[in-house]
């Protein structure tokens, strides 16, 4: 099974999980509850690290339980990179579908490339530092995965959605007509915060050439990247979120094995 197919299965399964959870809760089954703001699986709590940190900063109170709930996503990120963004985040899944539709229809966007790591870092830092001034976790208003999953739960339980959903609509319309993948590339504070957590041995896309692996320079890896990154140049982090599409597209090699691969 190709890597892209596996990722698609995980993406769809993730979407299904957050549709099923509200129905389970309505039926009185609470072993799994919550959203991508914060969720519980049995006794284990998992919290969006940016929102968790902002909660601590705004409350000015050390909360060991909250800190522990941030450990799991941070450890996964330190080991495997921002796979949450590319394999689980519902906003990324929707943005990928919108981008594919725009390409298929032939929409010419005003900004076809929006790879702006410095802009996203600035936005993330601004959101983080503004929380104590605002007096509440400001990231909750800009957490697309949290908004999507919480509004899905609200729609199922109450038959209505809140004004927060407007942000998701704005993102998708903007990416379809104006700027390709602008949210993930230049704005998303959740992804921007996770991007801070990289080690020299964090999983990465690497170009490895030897007698068995020779790049054919077909540039299929560049063409397939929705984020507008070039794996051949090697300088793709912190924006690359390890989706693996470039590795999957690396079919036109001259050697026995693909020169692009995941590597620690």
């Amino acid at each position: 099974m190709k890597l892209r197919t596996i990722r698609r299965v995980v993406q769809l399964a993730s979407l299904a999980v957050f549709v099923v959870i509200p129905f389970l809760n309505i039926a009185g089954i609470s072993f799994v509850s919550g959203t991508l703001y914060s969720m519980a699986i049995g006794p284990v709590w998992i919290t969006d690290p940016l929102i968790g940190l902002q909660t601590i900063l705004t409350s000015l109170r050390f909360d060991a339980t909250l800190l522990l709930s941030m450990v799991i996503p941070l450890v996964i990120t330190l080991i495997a990179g921002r796979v949450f963004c590319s394999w689980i985040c519902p906003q990324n899944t929707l943005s990928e579908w919108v981008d594919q539709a725009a390409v298929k229809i032939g929409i010419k966007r005003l900004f076809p490339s929006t790879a702006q790591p410095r802009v996203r870092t600035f936005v993330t830092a601004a959101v983080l530092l503004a929380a104590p001034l605002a007096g509440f976790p400001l990231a909750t208003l800009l957490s697309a995965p949290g908004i999507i999953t919480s509004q899905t739960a609200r729609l199922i339980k109450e038959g209505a959605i809140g004004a927060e959903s407007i942000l998701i609509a704005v993102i998708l319309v903007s990416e379809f007509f104006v700027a390709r993948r602008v949210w993930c590339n230049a704005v998303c504070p959740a992804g921007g915060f996770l991007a801070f957590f990289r080690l020299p041995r964090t999983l990465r896309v690497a170009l490895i050439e030897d007698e068995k692996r020779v790049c054919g320079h077909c540039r299929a890896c560049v063409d397939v990247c929705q984020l507008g990154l070039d794996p051949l140049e090697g300088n793709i982090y912190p924006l690359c979120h390890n989706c693996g599409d470039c590795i999957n597209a690396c079919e036109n090699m001259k050697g026995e094995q693909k020169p692009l691969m995941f590597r620690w």
Side-chain angles (χ1 to χ4, degrees):
M1 185 180 293
K2 289 188 175 183
L3 182 63
R4 184 180 178 87
T5 302
I6 296 174
R7 189 168 72 91
R8 285 285 180 259
V9 170
V10 174
Q11 286 178 306
L12 293 174
S14 299
L15 291 175
V17 164
F18 287 100
V19 171
V20 170
I21 286 176
F23 286 109
L24 292 177
N25 296 160
I26 291 172
I29 301 172
S30 58
F31 179 79
V32 180
S33 61
T35 67
L36 285 175
Y37 286 132
S38 185
M39 66 181 297
I41 304 175
V44 179
W45 279 90
I46 303 173
T47 300
D48 179 327
L50 177 58
I51 292 176
L53 180 57
Q54 284 202 329
T55 300
I56 293 172
L57 291 176
T58 54
S59 65
L60 297 178
R61 181 171 59 88
F62 178 82
D63 190 323
T65 301
L66 181 57
L67 283 173
L68 287 174
S69 72
M70 297 159 54
V71 168
I72 292 177
L74 291 180
V75 168
I76 291 174
T77 303
L78 287 170
I79 295 173
R82 290 192 302 114
V83 291
F84 166 80
C85 298
S86 55
W87 291 67
I88 297 175
C89 176
Q91 179 58 57
N92 178 70
T93 301
L94 295 177
S95 288
E96 285 187 358
W97 291 346
V98 165
D99 187 77
Q100 291 166 3
V103 171
K104 188 172 183 178
I105 295 173
I107 299 295
K108 301 297 182 182
R109 283 161 283 193
L110 186 60
F111 301 99
S113 177
T114 57
Q116 298 291 334
R118 291 183 180 179
V119 173
R120 191 182 66 181
T121 299
F122 174 80
V123 171
T124 302
V127 170
L128 181 61
L129 296 175
L133 298 177
F136 71 98
L138 194 61
T140 57
L141 301 179
L142 295 173
S143 172
I147 291 172
I148 291 172
T149 52
S150 64
Q151 293 305 310
T152 297
R154 182 178 178 183
L155 179 63
I156 293 171
K157 293 179 179 180
E158 303 176 12
I161 57 176
E164 302 95 323
S165 303
I166 295 175
L167 175 64
I168 308 305
V170 170
I171 293 171
L172 297 178
V173 171
S174 298
E175 293 188 339
F176 188 81
F177 290 106
V178 182
R180 188 181 193 193
R181 298 306 307 269
V182 66
W183 182 258
C184 294
N185 265 345
V187 182
C188 180
F193 187 70
L194 290 178
F196 292 147
F197 295 87
R198 283 196 63 79
L199 298 171
R201 302 291 289 181
T202 298
L203 186 69
R204 70 190 190 281
V205 174
L207 177 65
I208 307 296
E209 289 193 276
D210 53 32
E211 64 276 4
K212 292 184 178 181
R213 304 178 179 90
V214 180
C215 178
H217 298 286
C218 64
R219 298 187 68 78
C221 57
V222 179
D223 295 337
V224 78
C225 182
Q226 290 190 358
L227 302 182
L229 306 178
D230 186 348
L232 301 180
E233 292 184 354
N235 188 27
I236 57 176
Y237 294 96
L239 287 181
C240 176
H241 53 204
N242 287 351
C243 71
D245 280 358
C246 58
I247 295 174
N248 195 70
C250 185
E251 300 285 356
N252 203 21
M253 67 287 186
K254 296 178 181 178
E256 298 175 6
Q257 302 179 37
K258 297 181 179 183
L260 275 180
M261 65 184 71
F262 279 128
R263 192 167 188 174
W264 273 286

